[in-house]
Amino acid sequence: MAKIAAPRGTHDVLPAEGYKWHALEREMRELSAAFGYHEIRTPAFEHTELFERGVGDTTDVVQKEMYTFLDKGGRSITLRPEGTSPVVRSFIEHSLYALPQPTKLYYITPCFRYEKPQAGRLRQFHQFGVEVFGAESAAIDAEVISLAMSLLAKLGVTGVRLNINSIGCKDCRTVYNEKLRAFFATRLDDLCETCRQRYEKNPLRILDCKNAACKQIYKDAPILLDNICGECRDHFEALKGYLDGMGIPYQVDGTIVRGLDYYTRTVFEIVSDNIGAQGTVCGGGRYNGLVEELGGPAVSAVGFGMGMERLLLMLDNLGIALPDTEGVTLFVASIGEQADGYAQNLVCGLRRKGIHADRDYMGRSVKAQMKYADKLGARYAVVIGDDEIAKNEVALKDMGTGESRLVPLDRLSEYLG
Ligand code: ATP
Ligand code: MG
């Protein structure tokens, strides 16, 4: 029979690397808890309309990248391409705005985008994200940014840059969009097909186009940051003040517009130089209009999404090892039938106490059992035979140093520290 391969752009997490994901997720959960964020889990698929309205129908994500299909009931369904819109949907649906605000949420979740697979770009990838609702203060923008930066610092990541910008509110954007239209009016013929359509509907989106010809044109376009209103400018200045106060270094980059339509005011990216062309590990910002846009009350919000595969790639390239806390603590080798039964019960008893113990199930020789224990990376090993059972004494071998000491067999668990 012909073999079946995994779909392009997907990735199996094999048993040998599972611990990395667990370690990463553990750090994310612990840090989120320390910042007062609670986990939210939403379905892997939603009504397509949620993303059309939430992400914006002039974005690359909606125009080119969504996994959309009709289900057997004829409804248009889309696999989650990003984490924010589903969280907003849930926030509204369950009236979370009625609770004391702000609502601080985080998620760790797969996302699906039909993109050209390459290093750091997959069709199913994972995001760690946070969203805060109900607070307008730039202090919360700064908290969200500091959560992302703290995670990277805790993991030992170096050499990342935090770029921040403000893309203003709806009002500043209306004015700015007119300036942009004026700028692009004489250059329309040189823009790509998609951008020509964006010109009328949402010229700001042109500034996020990856097409080389478009890039060449928009690099001289007026900068949005130079055109924001007084209130938005104050908010941006306050953000910078909070970041300075927390000792978080940043650069202002007036060209960041982000790939999703819902952002207002603060936008930011955390970029690394050591993972190749797809260097953005984290992107986020404020999206004050989105809750209303999706049928909720006027509630402001801010958040980020962090690509977990890119983060792991970065850790690998920096030579940062995540702790493997899932290795075998004690390997119990045995000789003979009586010891086989004893080993089975011993391992079972230790496991019930939460100690990671293992043994041989393949009928290996003692020598081969010890070799296997070594392969498993066991910290300690014992060899049990009739003698050890009779004397209630066994040589406990530290696999790291190679040294052994005699310990009571029925009190083994006390010596595994
Ligand atoms: P890019 O400019 O790289 O396409 P984006 O602006 O589309 O990124 P966001 O929608 O902001 O990305 O998603 C947040 C993060 O998720 C990104 O910074 C990145 O780390 C990660 N990410 C986005 N798309 C992919 C993908 N196809 N494969 C792996 N990670 C991704
Ligand atoms: Mg993208």
Side-chain angles (χ1 to χ4, degrees), residues 1 20 24 53 58 72 80 103 152 172 177 188 193 199 223 268 312 318 325 331 335 348 350 372:
M1 289 276 254
K20 293 186 188 175
L24 200 58
R53 267 162 63 189
T58 54
K72 296 205 190 304
R80 164 180 43 222
T103 303
L152 298 177
C172 343
N177 273 340
L188 267 185
E193 176 66 34
Y199 173 79
I223 300 284
F268 68 95
L312 284 170
L318 287 168
T325 54
F331 188 86
I335 323 170
C348 176
L350 290 170
Y372 176 56

Side-chain angles (χ1 to χ4, degrees), residues 113 115 120-122 125 127 210 258 280-282 305 307 310:
R113 294 187 192 176
E115 301 203 66
R121 195 173 288 291
L122 293 150
F125 63 101
Q127 273 190 2
K210 306 279 195 293
R258 312 275 316 119
T280 311
V281 279
C282 180
R310 288 189 198 175

